[in-house]
Structure formats: C-alpha cells, structure tokens
Amino acid sequence: YNSAMKPYLLRLKPNQDIKLELLKYAQDRNIKTASIASAVGSVSSMKVRIADGNSIVSDDQNREVLSLSGTLINGKIHAHIGAISTSMDIFGGHLMEGCVVHTTMEITLLDLSEEIRAERIYDAETGFDELNLIDF
C-alpha cells in the first residue's frame, strides 16, 4: 500500500482556541481535506452547539478531553468534542470557538488531500453545509 496520506502531530498550548488553531494549522500547511485521528489534553472552558442544531452551551470547568473527532474540509471544520470534569460529569457537542486549552492538547491530523477531494455545500434538508465528495 502506497499512500500519499500525511500525518501531522501538533501541540496546542494553554489559552489557545482548539477550533481556531486547527483551522490555522491546516491553512498554513495547505491541508484541504483532513481527519482528526486522535486528541488528548485538557480544556479550561468549552463552547459547543448541541444536537438541536441551534443552542450554544458553555462550561468553564477544567476538563480532560475524552474525544475530539471530525473533518477539516477547505477551511471548514465539523468536529465533536467531549470532556470530563473532576466530578466525573461529561460535557460535549459540536466544537465551536471557545474551547480553550487548559494545559496542553496533542492532536493527530491525517492529511487526506491527495486521496480525497471534498467540499461543504449547503443542504436545504439539514440547514447546514454538509460534506460533498468530488470524484477525481
């Protein structure tokens, strides 16, 4: 198997916004299509959109990130984040600006730009920009 897929490992530092930094990282490296393969770290605050598609909720507790997964497509990100507090309650949803690193965040990105061409196009059925794969 010979793949042009390229892995990246990045570390975010305290007070950096996860969403903004991921988008900047991809833009700086001309990554058009990527998957978030893994993420470990902590957050000092979170802002997420929940499943109703409209409500934005925030939390300002230090939490350990349990999961961060999603895709970056041409400067747009669709990702979900979940994190646990010291009292063992879980908070999470659709990653929004406002998810801020507490101590560190280590993220593995897989650059799929050579294998997959994609875009996000508005879907009237969902009301959101949705994934659209483009044939080579």
PDB file of all heavy atoms in Angstrom, residues 46 62-66 82-91:
ATOM      1  N   MET A  46     -15.281  25.465  27.564  1.00  0.00           N
ATOM      2  CA  MET A  46     -15.820  24.853  26.358  1.00  0.00           C
ATOM      3  C   MET A  46     -17.052  25.615  25.896  1.00  0.00           C
ATOM      4  O   MET A  46     -17.826  26.122  26.713  1.00  0.00           O
ATOM      5  CB  MET A  46     -16.220  23.391  26.615  1.00  0.00           C
ATOM      6  CG  MET A  46     -15.050  22.466  26.891  1.00  0.00           C
ATOM      7  SD  MET A  46     -15.578  20.777  27.289  1.00  0.00           S
ATOM      8  CE  MET A  46     -16.207  20.232  25.697  1.00  0.00           C
ATOM      9  N   ASN A  62     -12.311  23.107  34.386  1.00  0.00           N
ATOM     10  CA  ASN A  62     -11.199  22.359  33.814  1.00  0.00           C
ATOM     11  C   ASN A  62     -11.670  20.934  33.576  1.00  0.00           C
ATOM     12  O   ASN A  62     -12.260  20.318  34.464  1.00  0.00           O
ATOM     13  CB  ASN A  62      -9.998  22.352  34.759  1.00  0.00           C
ATOM     14  CG  ASN A  62      -9.353  23.712  34.878  1.00  0.00           C
ATOM     15  OD1 ASN A  62      -9.513  24.572  34.012  1.00  0.00           O
ATOM     16  ND2 ASN A  62      -8.634  23.929  35.955  1.00  0.00           N
ATOM     17  N   ARG A  63     -11.425  20.442  32.369  1.00  0.00           N
ATOM     18  CA  ARG A  63     -11.871  19.100  31.992  1.00  0.00           C
ATOM     19  C   ARG A  63     -10.793  18.398  31.185  1.00  0.00           C
ATOM     20  O   ARG A  63     -10.044  19.042  30.458  1.00  0.00           O
ATOM     21  CB  ARG A  63     -13.145  19.165  31.151  1.00  0.00           C
ATOM     22  CG  ARG A  63     -14.359  19.675  31.900  1.00  0.00           C
ATOM     23  CD  ARG A  63     -15.579  19.743  30.985  1.00  0.00           C
ATOM     24  NE  ARG A  63     -16.750  20.211  31.707  1.00  0.00           N
ATOM     25  CZ  ARG A  63     -17.623  19.416  32.318  1.00  0.00           C
ATOM     26  NH1 ARG A  63     -17.470  18.112  32.259  1.00  0.00           N
ATOM     27  NH2 ARG A  63     -18.651  19.922  32.968  1.00  0.00           N
ATOM     28  N   GLU A  64     -10.760  17.060  31.293  1.00  0.00           N
ATOM     29  CA  GLU A  64      -9.902  16.234  30.455  1.00  0.00           C
ATOM     30  C   GLU A  64     -10.702  15.870  29.201  1.00  0.00           C
ATOM     31  O   GLU A  64     -11.844  15.405  29.306  1.00  0.00           O
ATOM     32  CB  GLU A  64      -9.492  14.948  31.187  1.00  0.00           C
ATOM     33  CG  GLU A  64      -8.511  15.164  32.301  1.00  0.00           C
ATOM     34  CD  GLU A  64      -7.126  15.557  31.804  1.00  0.00           C
ATOM     35  OE1 GLU A  64      -6.746  15.205  30.670  1.00  0.00           O
ATOM     36  OE2 GLU A  64      -6.414  16.225  32.573  1.00  0.00           O
ATOM     37  N   VAL A  65     -10.106  16.062  28.048  1.00  0.00           N
ATOM     38  CA  VAL A  65     -10.774  15.727  26.801  1.00  0.00           C
ATOM     39  C   VAL A  65     -10.773  14.212  26.627  1.00  0.00           C
ATOM     40  O   VAL A  65      -9.726  13.564  26.700  1.00  0.00           O
ATOM     41  CB  VAL A  65     -10.091  16.426  25.596  1.00  0.00           C
ATOM     42  CG1 VAL A  65     -10.658  15.931  24.281  1.00  0.00           C
ATOM     43  CG2 VAL A  65     -10.258  17.935  25.727  1.00  0.00           C
ATOM     44  N   LEU A  66     -11.963  13.652  26.427  1.00  0.00           N
ATOM     45  CA  LEU A  66     -12.124  12.224  26.183  1.00  0.00           C
ATOM     46  C   LEU A  66     -12.101  11.912  24.694  1.00  0.00           C
ATOM     47  O   LEU A  66     -11.675  10.837  24.286  1.00  0.00           O
ATOM     48  CB  LEU A  66     -13.449  11.724  26.774  1.00  0.00           C
ATOM     49  CG  LEU A  66     -13.611  11.867  28.279  1.00  0.00           C
ATOM     50  CD1 LEU A  66     -15.032  11.494  28.679  1.00  0.00           C
ATOM     51  CD2 LEU A  66     -12.596  11.013  28.998  1.00  0.00           C
ATOM     52  N   GLY A  82     -15.798  15.937  23.493  1.00  0.00           N
ATOM     53  CA  GLY A  82     -16.368  15.525  24.767  1.00  0.00           C
ATOM     54  C   GLY A  82     -15.277  15.561  25.823  1.00  0.00           C
ATOM     55  O   GLY A  82     -14.137  15.194  25.550  1.00  0.00           O
ATOM     56  N   ALA A  83     -15.627  16.016  27.027  1.00  0.00           N
ATOM     57  CA  ALA A  83     -14.628  16.125  28.090  1.00  0.00           C
ATOM     58  C   ALA A  83     -15.288  15.849  29.441  1.00  0.00           C
ATOM     59  O   ALA A  83     -16.491  16.040  29.610  1.00  0.00           O
ATOM     60  CB  ALA A  83     -13.994  17.513  28.070  1.00  0.00           C
ATOM     61  N   ILE A  84     -14.458  15.418  30.396  1.00  0.00           N
ATOM     62  CA  ILE A  84     -14.969  15.016  31.702  1.00  0.00           C
ATOM     63  C   ILE A  84     -14.370  15.899  32.801  1.00  0.00           C
ATOM     64  O   ILE A  84     -13.196  16.271  32.743  1.00  0.00           O
ATOM     65  CB  ILE A  84     -14.675  13.524  31.954  1.00  0.00           C
ATOM     66  CG1 ILE A  84     -15.447  13.008  33.155  1.00  0.00           C
ATOM     67  CG2 ILE A  84     -13.184  13.255  32.050  1.00  0.00           C
ATOM     68  CD1 ILE A  84     -15.487  11.485  33.237  1.00  0.00           C
ATOM     69  N   SER A  85     -15.200  16.239  33.780  1.00  0.00           N
ATOM     70  CA  SER A  85     -14.760  17.089  34.903  1.00  0.00           C
ATOM     71  C   SER A  85     -14.216  16.236  36.045  1.00  0.00           C
ATOM     72  O   SER A  85     -14.304  15.001  36.015  1.00  0.00           O
ATOM     73  CB  SER A  85     -15.937  17.925  35.420  1.00  0.00           C
ATOM     74  OG  SER A  85     -16.854  17.080  36.105  1.00  0.00           O
ATOM     75  N   THR A  86     -13.696  16.900  37.077  1.00  0.00           N
ATOM     76  CA  THR A  86     -13.190  16.181  38.246  1.00  0.00           C
ATOM     77  C   THR A  86     -14.321  15.491  39.003  1.00  0.00           C
ATOM     78  O   THR A  86     -14.084  14.526  39.718  1.00  0.00           O
ATOM     79  CB  THR A  86     -12.436  17.123  39.206  1.00  0.00           C
ATOM     80  OG1 THR A  86     -13.309  18.199  39.570  1.00  0.00           O
ATOM     81  CG2 THR A  86     -11.189  17.682  38.547  1.00  0.00           C
ATOM     82  N   SER A  87     -15.561  15.963  38.838  1.00  0.00           N
ATOM     83  CA  SER A  87     -16.702  15.302  39.480  1.00  0.00           C
ATOM     84  C   SER A  87     -17.306  14.226  38.577  1.00  0.00           C
ATOM     85  O   SER A  87     -18.369  13.688  38.879  1.00  0.00           O
ATOM     86  CB  SER A  87     -17.766  16.327  39.891  1.00  0.00           C
ATOM     87  OG  SER A  87     -18.223  17.029  38.756  1.00  0.00           O
ATOM     88  N   MET A  88     -16.595  13.933  37.465  1.00  0.00           N
ATOM     89  CA  MET A  88     -16.929  12.843  36.556  1.00  0.00           C
ATOM     90  C   MET A  88     -18.184  13.085  35.702  1.00  0.00           C
ATOM     91  O   MET A  88     -18.773  12.148  35.202  1.00  0.00           O
ATOM     92  CB  MET A  88     -17.057  11.514  37.314  1.00  0.00           C
ATOM     93  CG  MET A  88     -15.811  11.147  38.128  1.00  0.00           C
ATOM     94  SD  MET A  88     -14.285  11.132  37.144  1.00  0.00           S
ATOM     95  CE  MET A  88     -14.494   9.633  36.245  1.00  0.00           C
ATOM     96  N   ASP A  89     -18.580  14.348  35.516  1.00  0.00           N
ATOM     97  CA  ASP A  89     -19.675  14.605  34.585  1.00  0.00           C
ATOM     98  C   ASP A  89     -19.084  14.959  33.217  1.00  0.00           C
ATOM     99  O   ASP A  89     -18.014  15.559  33.116  1.00  0.00           O
ATOM    100  CB  ASP A  89     -20.635  15.685  35.093  1.00  0.00           C
ATOM    101  CG  ASP A  89     -20.006  17.057  35.159  1.00  0.00           C
ATOM    102  OD1 ASP A  89     -19.042  17.206  35.933  1.00  0.00           O
ATOM    103  OD2 ASP A  89     -20.452  17.969  34.440  1.00  0.00           O
ATOM    104  N   ILE A  90     -19.789  14.547  32.172  1.00  0.00           N
ATOM    105  CA  ILE A  90     -19.313  14.723  30.800  1.00  0.00           C
ATOM    106  C   ILE A  90     -20.075  15.860  30.138  1.00  0.00           C
ATOM    107  O   ILE A  90     -21.283  16.012  30.314  1.00  0.00           O
ATOM    108  CB  ILE A  90     -19.482  13.411  30.007  1.00  0.00           C
ATOM    109  CG1 ILE A  90     -18.612  12.325  30.644  1.00  0.00           C
ATOM    110  CG2 ILE A  90     -19.107  13.601  28.548  1.00  0.00           C
ATOM    111  CD1 ILE A  90     -18.820  10.945  30.082  1.00  0.00           C
ATOM    112  N   PHE A  91     -19.332  16.662  29.384  1.00  0.00           N
ATOM    113  CA  PHE A  91     -19.888  17.806  28.663  1.00  0.00           C
ATOM    114  C   PHE A  91     -19.357  17.726  27.241  1.00  0.00           C
ATOM    115  O   PHE A  91     -18.177  17.445  27.034  1.00  0.00           O
ATOM    116  CB  PHE A  91     -19.417  19.103  29.337  1.00  0.00           C
ATOM    117  CG  PHE A  91     -19.984  20.358  28.749  1.00  0.00           C
ATOM    118  CD1 PHE A  91     -21.207  20.849  29.179  1.00  0.00           C
ATOM    119  CD2 PHE A  91     -19.291  21.054  27.767  1.00  0.00           C
ATOM    120  CE1 PHE A  91     -21.729  22.021  28.644  1.00  0.00           C
ATOM    121  CE2 PHE A  91     -19.804  22.221  27.228  1.00  0.00           C
ATOM    122  CZ  PHE A  91     -21.026  22.707  27.665  1.00  0.00           C
TER     123      PHE A  91
END
